Amino acid sequence: MSHIISVVNQKGGVGKTTTAINLSAYLAHFGNSVLLVDIDPQANATSGVGIDHRTIPKSIYHVLLGHLPLKEVMINCDIKTHKLIPASPSLAGANIELISDNQREFKLYNILRQVKNDFDFIIVDCPPSLDLLTINGIVAADKILIPVQAEYYALEGLGQLLETINLVKENLRPDLEILGAVITMYDKRNLLSKQVLDELYKYFPAKIFRSVIPRNIRLTESPSHGKAILHYDNSSKGAKSYERLAKEIIDYLSLPSLSG
Ligand SMILES: Nc1ncnc2c1ncn2[C@@H]1O[C@H](COP(=O)(O)OP(=O)(O)OP(=O)(O)O)[C@@H](O)[C@H]1O
Ligand SMILES: [Mg+2]
């Protein structure tokens, strides 16, 4: 059984990329074959696993435009079961270039279906918008994971996001599901965070992962070293929280975890 999980929130800087990188690294660590797909023109997931987009000739952009097959842009990450489809800044143009394509919402869906059975998990890191790239990320997914930052403004825009996901479900992908919300950058000393947490439980009853990601400096540092937290400081609180999240997701999806 293979799962395509897109990490989505149109709000910027909430921990989408940090979650996509570290969740996929731990899923691979537990013996799953994992493909991380970067569809954000910022290419943060690409650089976060140590790939400089300036040194790679081709990216998901060329695949979305039909110029290259997916396998030609696939790159190996630290573990051999962990692979990356890189993004590049040129991807920003795809929003316009695909506009007259009558299959424009299904570009990524069609591309990922060709390799779906080669992987246990495909994790898609989406940009901070609800543009055509993100719609492609939502349409391509079986399940949506929503990182929510534990801060006062976190709930802003969540209604619009859930509405967009529901529109895709009703009109394009009836089997699409929300996997759940994961709380990121949580600081238990901050009373405001607790308030947001209580409010969020009302928003997503039974759909919030128990593994809460704390604010942790090691998580901030690891992308500049081009490493997932697992390969940078696997004993840090940030690492342990993403390890727990990966296990929780594996358990939730009833997948056998091979080493955990
Ligand atoms: N739990 C955490 N603790 C400390 N820093 C974090 C944590 N999660 C993310 N960060 C840092 O916060 C910033 C934003 O995180 P990230 O890039 O993952 O968010 P994003 O939602 O992908 O952003 P964007 O919307 O721009 O794509 C980054 O500098 C990242 O290193
Ligand atoms: Mg990001």
Side-chain angles (χ1 to χ4, degrees):
M1 185 67 175
S2 142
H3 303 275
I4 302 181
I5 300 173
S6 286
V7 184
V8 187
N9 192 333
Q10 81 274 30
K11 204 169 161 52
V14 298
K16 292 180 289 295
T17 301
T18 305
T19 299
I21 290 175
N22 293 306
L23 174 62
S24 58
Y26 274 107
L27 290 170
H29 175 68
F30 290 135
N32 299 290
S33 70
V34 183
L35 179 65
L36 173 62
V37 182
D38 190 354
I39 60 162
D40 183 353
Q42 297 180 98
N44 292 152
T46 302
S47 57
V49 296
I51 307 296
D52 181 348
H53 65 76
R54 288 166 303 190
T55 65
I56 48 163
K58 306 285 175 192
S59 77
I60 186 71
Y61 169 76
H62 302 89
V63 186
L64 285 170
L65 271 99
H67 300 329
L68 274 180
L70 188 71
K71 287 194 173 156
E72 283 195 27
V73 300
M74 209 177 274
I75 296 173
N76 290 326
C77 298
D78 281 357
I79 317 177
K80 75 174 188 308
T81 52
H82 191 196
K83 298 193 189 314
L84 168 78
I85 300 295
S88 58
S90 56
L91 192 53
N95 276 309
I96 306 292
E97 287 167 84
L98 290 174
I99 214 145
S100 58
D101 190 314
N102 61 9
Q103 279 280 298
R104 61 184 174 267
E105 291 92 356
F106 284 92
K107 287 286 163 190
L108 190 64
Y109 175 91
N110 290 331
I111 289 163
L112 295 185
R113 256 40 191 190
Q114 296 165 19
V115 296
K116 189 176 183 204
N117 291 333
D118 299 345
F119 295 95
D120 297 311
F121 289 93
I122 299 179
I123 308 290
V124 182
D125 184 31
C126 292
S129 65
L130 286 174
D131 63 9
L132 184 56
L133 284 168
T134 300
I135 297 298
N136 263 271
I138 297 174
V139 171
D142 306 313
K143 295 178 178 65
I144 306 290
L145 179 62
I146 305 175
V148 180
Q149 189 179 345
E151 57 129 47
Y152 185 72
Y153 295 107
L155 306 179
E156 238 179 37
L158 219 46
Q160 193 192 359
L161 174 60
L162 296 178
E163 199 179 300
T164 304
I165 295 168
N166 274 330
L167 278 173
V168 170
K169 187 174 166 67
E170 281 164 23
N171 297 294
L172 306 172
R173 288 291 315 281
D175 49 347
L176 180 67
E177 283 171 33
I178 294 180
L179 180 61
V182 55
I183 294 158
T184 61
M185 300 185 225
Y186 184 68
D187 182 351
K188 63 177 183 298
R189 290 165 306 182
N190 183 347
L191 270 181
L192 192 62
S193 291
K194 189 175 176 321
Q195 228 176 57
V196 172
L197 204 67
D198 292 344
E199 198 49 33
L200 198 63
Y201 274 101
K202 288 182 211 152
Y203 236 103
F204 284 100
K207 283 275 196 179
I208 300 187
F209 285 98
R210 288 191 311 278
S211 317
V212 170
I213 311 300
R215 188 173 282 284
N216 179 253
I217 186 72
R218 306 303 264 170
L219 286 171
T220 325
E221 291 166 358
S222 60
S224 63
H225 296 264
K227 289 180 191 308
I229 192 74
L230 160 68
H231 307 294
Y232 178 65
D233 183 354
N234 69 0
S235 63
S236 63
K237 284 207 165 105
K240 294 295 170 203
S241 68
Y242 275 111
E243 183 179 11
R244 274 196 302 277
L245 179 67
K247 282 185 180 161
E248 199 180 342
I249 288 179
I250 289 169
D251 287 348
Y252 183 77
L253 298 172
S254 310
L255 276 171
S257 97
L258 302 182
S259 66

